Amino acid sequence: MSDLTILGIESSCDDTGAAIVRGTAGNARVMSNIVMGQAELHAAFGGVVPEIAARAHAEKVDLAVKQALSEAMVSLSEVDAIAVTAGPGLIGGVLSGVMCAKGIAAALGKPLIGVNHLAGHALTPRLTDRLTYPYLMLLVSGGHCQFLIVRGPDEFSRVGGTIDDAPGEAFDKVARLLALPQPGGPSVEERARDGDPKRFRFPRPLLDREGCDMSYSGLKTAVLRARDEVMTDNTLTAQDQADLCAGFQEAVTAVLAEKTRRALRVYMELNPSQPMIAVAGGVAANQAIRASLTTVAEEAGAGFTAPPLKLCTDNGAMIAYAGLERFALGETDDMTLQARPRWPLDKKSAPMIGSGKKGAKA
């Protein structure tokens, strides 16, 4: 098969992304990857405001596309198809991307491909490391957390996930509790480096229950109670803050490690010829979590990979590549493509319980 050139557009939360990916399924390269963040717009609110995010996407998405084309030195006429996140996510932002993609596709007479945002994350290891199917995927981000056995571009089996808050959402909430800047993940990780993870013994939710499901809302509440116990005149010392971060991060890491062990046991029953576990999503940037999961994989006799940090968070390259895999199979959409706030990858399993502020659980 000859190389395909795909334009990818991502706008599911608070990052406006556009990228050009060229190649074939399992052998593609990123020609450009533009991400325009919105952190400053939301900083005063302690989290992402959907209306502000949607307006920013509408203002930036065409600029991101133009910059991606320029950096890749590719013209719109050279693009074979336009791939766009069609869900799940904040509906206003998803709509902005979908309408932009429809406009480009209609104007140029190019194929349109709607991509599940979660599939973009789940297929990223195929882009970065050329993994072969099947592999185990831990998708861990601000709005989602689930273990998936990835068997093909549109064939995913969920073996566990969060029943309430996603880890990234818990990191953000803990950061707000401790007066740390957003996004919470990097802030908590940085403060945790100076803390004692043994000072506060936070709970490890659902470790006493079989299976691979997880829970993080109670852990956040435990941090709140511990914070209130050590505060003096509504003030935390720098050391208290660091110790709380360290204890929280260790609890999240411990839960993810044990649940990953269990998910690996399920996956290894398939007797894959090249067993691999991959992790992606914003929380995959956390170095303590990466190190722990690497150890778990080695113990199970599986390889471990995580995309480069810039491809762990939301970006257009992952959407372009997921679109490339669909397009290579002859799958496209038409102008009836709809933006979807919910869109489960595993169509057979029951939906996970709950809905986080950053996006619907799938």
Side-chain angles (χ1 to χ4, degrees), residues 307-329:
L309 298 185
K310 64 182 178 181
L311 294 180
C312 279
T313 51
D314 296 346
N315 64 89
M318 70 180 191
I319 302 304
Y321 179 73
L324 187 154
E325 289 234 13
R326 281 199 64 202
F327 191 54
L329 294 176

Side-chain angles (χ1 to χ4, degrees), residues 113-138:
I113 306 167
V115 172
N116 187 309
H117 174 81
L118 304 180
H121 280 303
L123 295 175
T124 296
R126 294 265 294 161
L127 169 64
T128 58
D129 294 89
R130 302 181 182 180
L131 294 195
T132 57
Y133 300 119
Y135 56 90
L136 179 65
M137 184 76 201
L138 169 57

Side-chain angles (χ1 to χ4, degrees), residues 73-104:
M73 293 186 289
V74 168
S75 67
L76 277 174
S77 62
E78 296 175 275
V79 172
D80 293 302
I82 294 89
V84 61
T85 295
L90 300 177
I91 191 63
V94 177
L95 272 169
S96 297
V98 168
M99 296 307 293
C100 179
K102 283 184 176 182
I104 296 172

Side-chain angles (χ1 to χ4, degrees), residues 14-26:
D14 61 335
D15 286 323
T16 306
I20 300 293
V21 167
R22 176 175 289 165
T24 59

Side-chain angles (χ1 to χ4, degrees), residues 13-14 38 41-55 90:
C13 190
D14 61 335
Q38 303 177 5
L41 297 178
H42 304 281
F45 304 98
V48 177
V49 181
E51 293 81 2
I52 294 176
R55 189 180 308 119
L90 300 177

Side-chain angles (χ1 to χ4, degrees), residues 70-345:
S70 175
E71 187 173 301
M73 293 186 289
V74 168
S75 67
L76 277 174
S77 62
E78 296 175 275
V79 172
D80 293 302
I82 294 89
V84 61
T85 295
L90 300 177
I91 191 63
V94 177
L95 272 169
S96 297
V98 168
M99 296 307 293
C100 179
K102 283 184 176 182
I104 296 172
L108 299 177
K110 299 284 186 178
L112 176 68
I113 306 167
V115 172
N116 187 309
H117 174 81
L118 304 180
H121 280 303
L123 295 175
T124 296
R126 294 265 294 161
L127 169 64
T128 58
D129 294 89
R130 302 181 182 180
L131 294 195
T132 57
Y133 300 119
Y135 56 90
L136 179 65
M137 184 76 201
L138 169 57
L139 174 57
V140 55
S141 67
H144 307 277
C145 182
Q146 51 190 303
F147 291 103
L148 299 163
I149 296 176
V150 184
R151 293 183 167 90
D154 196 30
E155 190 177 355
F156 307 91
S157 300
R158 192 183 69 233
V159 296
T162 181
I163 64 174
D164 43 50
D165 288 357
E169 188 173 357
F171 269 97
D172 286 345
K173 289 178 177 178
V174 166
R176 284 195 291 272
L177 290 175
L178 302 181
L180 293 172
Q182 297 292 324
S187 298
V188 171
E189 182 180 12
E190 182 179 356
R191 293 297 295 123
R193 295 191 185 104
D194 300 323
D196 177 6
K198 307 301 181 185
R199 179 181 171 192
F200 297 99
R201 176 67 182 180
F202 292 123
R204 274 63 169 159
L206 299 189
L207 288 191
D208 59 346
R209 192 180 304 180
E210 293 183 1
C212 303
D213 287 344
M214 293 162 278
S215 169
Y216 294 100
S217 64
L219 179 55
K220 174 260 300 179
T221 302
V223 174
L224 170 63
R225 290 174 178 168
R227 181 206 69 176
D228 290 346
E229 289 177 1
V230 298
M231 287 182 78
T232 302
D233 296 328
N234 290 324
T235 302
L236 276 178
T237 69
Q239 193 59 54
D240 288 338
Q241 188 185 61
D243 292 345
L244 286 164
C245 287
F248 167 75
Q249 180 175 272
E250 184 170 84
V252 172
T253 301
V255 171
L256 282 172
E258 176 54 31
K259 296 297 184 174
T260 299
R261 287 188 186 93
R262 300 179 189 182
L264 274 167
R265 287 197 286 269
V266 175
Y267 164 67
M268 295 297 273
E269 290 176 358
L270 300 176
N271 294 315
S273 58
Q274 295 178 306
M276 289 290 299
I277 177 172
V279 58
V283 180
N286 184 289
Q287 295 301 308
I289 291 174
R290 281 197 186 210
S292 176
L293 297 181
T294 300
T295 299
V296 170
E298 290 173 351
E299 293 172 351
F304 174 86
T305 186
L309 298 185
K310 64 182 178 181
L311 294 180
C312 279
T313 51
D314 296 346
N315 64 89
M318 70 180 191
I319 302 304
Y321 179 73
L324 187 154
E325 289 234 13
R326 281 199 64 202
F327 191 54
L329 294 176
E331 299 177 2
T332 61
D333 294 284
D334 56 30
M335 290 299 155
T336 64
L337 177 68
Q338 294 184 337
R340 303 169 65 172
R342 291 179 178 267
W343 191 358
L345 278 180

